[in-house]
Amino acid sequence: MKIVDAKVVVTSPGRNFVTLKLTTDEGLTGLGDATLNGRELAVVSYLADHVVPLLTGLDPHRVEDTWQSLYRGAYWRRGPVTMAAIAAVDVALWDIKAKAAGLPLYQLLGGASRERIGTYGHANGRDIPELLDSVRARLAEGYPAVRIQSGIPGLKAVYGVSDTDESGAPVLHQQARPLVEDWDTAAYLRHVPAVFEAVRAEFGPELPLLHDSHHRLTPVQAARLGKDLEPFRPFWLEDCTPAENQEALRLVRRSTTTPLAVGEVFNTVYDYQALITEQLIDYVRSAVTHFGGVTPLRKLFDFAAQYQIKSAIHGPEDISPVGMAAAVHLDLAVHNFGIQEFSGHTPLTDEVFRHAYTFTDGHLHPGEAPGIGVELDEELAAAHPYAPAYLPVNRLHDGTVHDW
Ligand code: KDG
Ligand code: MG
């Protein structure tokens, strides 16, 4: 079997998605997600200008060899643009291989290790009463675990609140300039324990509660927050510091028993080396889409498993249904699965990317369709062309740029 065609499809059915489609001489097709939110066209160019010309004529069964040649052959390794492009090729090849075998991808990864995949959804509110309503809405949708983000008194626009509407659906900033959010770490550190206290008081001790600090704290601030949240037993505290400084997590870890989750912006195993071998974290959060595909993410999970660290694949709405499908197959297969983030997509997005995975009673299943189980409606995709969009930026009261 040979690859005879490779094309990059960009579509914006409400937000931008980048998809690689490979076709073989036997008529099999494979899809891979290459969406890098806010920098989509950089990956389109990487693929179309530098990778697509290398793909025609390749044997699609050589998944590992193709991955190694794209990673090592570029010389310029790592980085989100490179790894999103490689991920798209890797997932499209796995899709073809599984279709050729007539099996859903999870069967090629060792088969099911569980019956279904537990998820968490996003709850948010401009204030605590609005957040409580949002938690109620997620529970009514069946989510077994909930991430809680709240507005902070004195701040106008905060991560996880200003970019979502009251139903929890993401609002897209399709504009020529990024939205500017504001930040005050002291106000945040004062407010978050009160948020947890209110949610626990309303929903009791059993509901798993997660929270995302989105890379904003110093090690000592993160340690303080971890300690303050301990009485409320969070499921995890996510991205408490900018963790590319892996040493920062040593202080946090020494100071608190609040579980730590890290890695949605990481793109290779090297970003995790100290975090895993020193057992500084509890969950690895990389997405198939940003980590170079199923091939390296499976290796990361196996490495993490030796240290009792679990998977928690990044699953925001900016991972396309193609990337989500690949994640769900991996979730079903790996032994050290932890939890899957799932925001879902708009009905129009689900029409452009018809998928076999299902979301029932708060749990995902990849379905039994051969491959990853996603079909791209190219006509509908073309009817919704790329629209420039930016992620927000974050500034302190005096105007200083802060981590977003
Ligand atoms: O594109 C950025 C989003 O994917 C990110 O802000 C979402 O932090 C995120 C999460 O935990 O889902
Ligand atoms: Mg996050």
Side-chain angles (χ1 to χ4, degrees), residues 37 122 147 159 212 214 238 264 285 314 316 318 341 391 404:
N37 200 12
H122 294 182
R147 187 188 86 164
Y159 168 77
D212 192 346
H214 226 247
E238 176 181 335
E264 67 185 42
R285 297 256 309 124
H314 190 211
D318 46 281
E341 181 183 29
L391 285 165
W404 180 75

Side-chain angles (χ1 to χ4, degrees), residues 123-144:
N124 54 77
R126 282 166 295 184
D127 53 22
I128 290 177
E130 204 175 274
L131 171 64
L132 297 180
D133 286 345
S134 182
V135 174
R136 248 173 244 117
R138 296 296 87 74
L139 294 180
E141 287 159 9
Y143 280 102

Side-chain angles (χ1 to χ4, degrees), residues 1 19-24 28-33 60-61 63 87-106 108-109 288 294-295 321-323 325-326 329 354 356 369-376:
M1 191 156 53
T19 310
L20 177 70
K21 180 177 179 183
L22 302 181
T23 306
T24 73
L28 290 178
T29 57
L31 298 177
D33 179 26
H61 279 305
V63 182
V89 177
D90 183 76
V91 171
L93 294 181
W94 276 112
D95 193 16
I96 290 171
K97 187 187 273 298
K99 282 179 181 169
L103 291 170
L105 174 61
Y106 76 84
L108 273 56
L109 301 174
V288 174
V294 166
T295 299
V322 174
H329 282 275
R354 283 189 306 276
I372 60 168
V374 184
E375 277 170 45
L376 173 64

Side-chain angles (χ1 to χ4, degrees), residues 15 36-38 120 122 147 149 159-160 163 212 214-215 236 238-239 264-265 285 290 313-319 341-343 391-392 404:
R15 64 166 51 247
L36 188 61
N37 200 12
Y120 70 90
H122 294 182
R147 187 188 86 164
Q149 307 292 139
Y159 168 77
D163 56 352
D212 192 346
H214 226 247
H215 323 276
W236 79 34
E238 176 181 335
D239 287 335
E264 67 185 42
V265 298
R285 297 256 309 124
H290 301 135
I313 297 180
H314 190 211
E317 60 289 339
D318 46 281
I319 298 290
E341 181 183 29
F342 184 65
S343 301
L391 285 165
W404 180 75

